Amino acid sequence: MCPCYRRRESRTDRANRVHSVTGMLGGAEVTHIFAHDILSVLNAELLEATVSGAQSYCERSLLLARPWDVVCLLNPLEESYLEYLQNLGIGPERGNIIPVGTSVRPDCSTRLLNCLMANPDALSAIARLVTFSAKVVLSPYIASQSELECTAVLQGALERSVELLGGNPHIVQLAKCKDVTRTKALELGVPVPEGEIVELELRRDGKPADLRCLRDAIHRHLGRTGRAIVRGADGASGSSLFIVKSHSASIEAALNRIAERTDNHVYLIETLLELTVSPNIMMHIAPGNGDITCVGITDQILNSRLMHQGNIYPSLAATLGDMMTSARSLCRWLQAEGYHGFAGFDFGEYVEQETGSPAHFLAEINPRMNGSVYPKALMEYLNVLQRKADRPPVEAFLSVNMKTRARSFASLHESCGRLFFDPAKGSGFVPFNTGCLKLGKFAAALFGKSRHQVAGIYQELATSLGGAWT
């Protein structure tokens, strides 16, 4: 392994043969244009209702970018936050940060990609920045039809080839569908919970016509544990997830909510197993028949409704080897269908009642970047700087959204700057998604030498802010 990569990786990553996520971006000859439009994942209105401030989440890509990469943001960042990142040694050159929400037509949608495609000044600026790059890659949050259209616009403006990381949006759309991935997992021998797929007939208004088949399926899968999980085939951030208990009030409450929805007509009904931990395995899939590489393993932090709240590293899972085998099997399927880039695999670990041994199952596939990538990339970049200066390396992190009364980065710095990452100690937190401060929240990546230490830093931060998980 190249020494520069070893400086990025933690002891845990080396022990589990987990490679650098930032190393997969390529060398200095490759320029990535980061345009992380989270609203490409699914219906924008539904996602914004589930994830407040979703339009500002494009700022997370600052933690992935190298100095020569380009980062497209909807709005300009606070000057004090830019200075903070620069002093920390993180992110692209200032001139490589392009706010695309200015100088566009008044009727243009406020989505990041739409603004980028409609902003001639932004396109010209990008063209100047990538002039000397041997290869240019549009690096999106997910490769949907919008990203494919944006790639074509960039090629025209740059007058050169631009590669779309993620490949064909058709396979991305398929892999997003939980019914498709469940069927494929069963075909490949990847464990999934006991369950079934139900397709509902719809009325003209798009709502379900009859829920009796769904009610029957729920009853069939409540017996083993007394709880079932119902998930719409298409949905992110828990937007179409329902937990049902074995009493009529819980069942009818879930059915009543589904009866008013128009976003899904296919649902998965599975026995809800008691989780001991829920790891996310992040893989990188090279084009063609190239390498399939694990670049991240974290434990997801889930609330009582199984909605994602953050990630913690290193993982405590006992079946990581089996999970990685399952992830590789599914990666080969994606690769054969033309997918390349990053893909996340959510697993659950539980204790088998019959044997008392830990076992795993696949929950879903995210054929895209996910929330675990950003703190992992930031840890790698920080470790390069830490080891270069002969300072303590980072060996653990926790990422989470925090509530705060601060409405600007300057105010946040004033209230809890003493807890910011301290290179001399190799611990502390780095704020990001600071565009969400106007909504009273931000994201924090907390770093230290152990899970115990980063949990302690979180408690200090929560006390300082009067904040909590969001």
Side-chain angles (χ1 to χ4, degrees):
M1 180 183 296
C2 174
C4 64
Y5 287 167
R6 290 188 66 87
R7 288 198 296 270
R8 302 182 193 184
E9 295 168 1
S10 66
R11 290 193 304 268
T12 301
D13 277 0
R14 290 195 293 271
N16 288 289
R17 297 183 179 180
V18 177
H19 290 253
S20 161
V21 65
T22 55
M24 298 300 157
L25 298 177
E29 74 281 0
V30 182
T31 296
H32 284 257
I33 302 171
F34 290 98
H36 282 200
D37 191 347
I38 191 175
L39 299 182
S40 291
V41 174
L42 78 169
N43 178 275
E45 292 183 3
L46 181 60
L47 185 59
E48 286 183 307
T50 307
V51 183
S52 62
Q55 288 180 326
S56 294
Y57 277 43
C58 56
E59 294 177 14
R60 297 185 294 182
S61 59
L62 289 166
L63 306 186
L64 269 169
R66 296 142 326 158
W68 60 89
D69 288 327
V70 177
V71 173
C72 298
L73 303 180
L74 197 57
N75 299 304
L77 292 169
E78 282 186 70
E79 182 65 24
S80 58
Y81 185 61
L82 285 173
E83 289 180 4
Y84 168 73
L85 290 180
Q86 188 172 50
N87 291 336
L88 200 58
I90 297 301
E93 298 288 343
R94 287 196 182 198
N96 291 36
I97 301 173
I98 310 295
V100 302
T102 58
S103 303
V104 297
R105 299 189 311 269
D107 62 335
C108 181
S109 164
T110 54
R111 277 194 53 187
L112 177 69
L113 288 176
N114 289 344
C115 288
L116 171 57
M117 289 187 284
N119 190 328
D121 293 339
L123 293 171
S124 295
I126 294 172
R128 290 192 297 271
L129 290 169
V130 304
T131 299
F132 301 105
S133 300
K135 182 179 180 180
V136 179
V137 178
L138 175 61
S139 187
Y141 186 66
I142 190 170
S144 73
Q145 186 62 35
S146 295
E147 280 73 14
L148 190 64
E149 293 171 5
C150 188
T151 303
V153 170
L154 283 168
Q155 288 185 147
L158 275 55
E159 298 183 344
R160 59 178 300 171
S161 175
V162 177
E163 177 185 310
L164 174 61
L165 190 67
N168 186 352
H170 175 69
I171 183 57
V172 173
Q173 183 60 37
L174 278 180
K176 280 173 53 187
C177 295
K178 298 175 182 66
D179 56 328
V180 173
T181 57
R182 176 184 170 85
T183 300
K184 179 56 67 171
L186 288 168
E187 178 186 319
L188 296 174
V190 173
V192 293
E194 177 185 300
E196 61 186 279
I197 298 167
V198 171
E199 186 168 356
L200 303 175
E201 294 185 7
L202 301 180
R203 304 188 313 229
R204 288 186 177 180
D205 62 1
K207 296 180 181 180
D210 191 343
L211 293 175
R212 283 177 296 181
C213 57
L214 189 57
R215 180 184 285 105
D216 292 344
I218 290 172
H219 281 290
R220 281 193 290 272
H221 298 289
L222 279 170
R224 181 176 175 185
T225 64
R227 294 192 300 169
I229 182 169
V230 179
R231 295 183 293 161
D234 191 12
S237 301
S239 59
S240 61
L241 183 153
F242 307 89
I243 295 175
V244 185
K245 299 178 181 178
S246 56
H247 56 80
S248 58
S250 178
I251 296 170
E252 293 308 313
L255 292 173
N256 289 339
R257 290 172 63 193
I258 292 171
E260 295 302 314
R261 299 177 71 101
T262 60
D263 56 319
N264 276 288
H265 72 284
V266 177
Y267 283 86
L268 274 67
I269 301 88
E270 298 173 328
T271 297
L272 182 57
L273 300 169
E274 190 69 34
L275 295 177
T276 55
V277 67
S278 179
N280 172 265
I281 310 290
M282 178 58 60
M283 307 293 286
H284 181 268
I285 304 170
N289 296 315
D291 292 339
I292 293 171
T293 309
C294 180
V295 294
I297 303 173
T298 58
D299 288 341
Q300 298 182 93
I301 300 168
L302 306 175
N303 66 11
S304 60
R305 296 175 54 202
L306 300 184
M307 295 181 68
H308 179 260
Q309 304 291 286
N311 294 79
I312 188 165
Y313 168 91
S315 173
L316 298 180
T319 59
L320 286 179
D322 294 335
M323 292 178 189
M324 290 176 72
T325 298
S326 293
R328 288 181 185 280
S329 180
L330 292 160
C331 282
R332 285 191 287 272
W333 162 57
L334 292 174
Q335 188 181 54
E337 295 295 329
Y339 185 85
H340 62 90
F342 297 97
F345 299 83
D346 292 344
F347 290 98
E349 184 173 274
Y350 67 104
V351 177
E352 286 188 325
Q353 292 180 350
E354 297 80 4
T355 65
S357 300
H360 80 287
F361 64 86
L362 175 72
E364 64 178 275
I365 300 175
N366 297 310
R368 55 175 170 83
M369 299 281 185
N370 66 26
S372 72
V373 169
Y374 307 102
K376 175 63 159 51
L378 182 52
M379 181 182 74
E380 292 176 6
Y381 288 140
L382 289 176
N383 273 340
V384 171
L385 299 172
Q386 290 297 102
R387 291 185 168 110
K388 185 177 180 180
D390 197 25
R391 290 170 172 163
V394 174
E395 296 290 346
F397 69 75
L398 167 65
S399 64
V400 64
N401 287 332
M402 300 295 298
K403 294 178 181 178
T404 178
R405 295 183 182 89
R407 293 297 184 269
S408 69
F409 176 75
S411 178
L412 182 68
H413 188 279
E414 182 178 350
S415 65
C416 58
R418 63 184 178 82
L419 296 173
F420 278 15
F421 181 77
D422 183 350
K425 297 178 181 178
S427 63
F429 87 95
V430 176
F432 61 103
N433 273 10
T434 56
C436 290
L437 282 168
K438 60 182 178 291
L439 301 175
K441 72 173 190 176
F442 69 99
L446 304 99
F447 298 104
K449 63 182 179 181
S450 67
R451 285 172 60 119
H452 177 74
Q453 185 182 31
V454 296
I457 297 170
Y458 164 73
Q459 291 298 334
E460 286 189 74
L461 180 59
T463 301
S464 177
L465 294 173
W469 308 109
T470 62

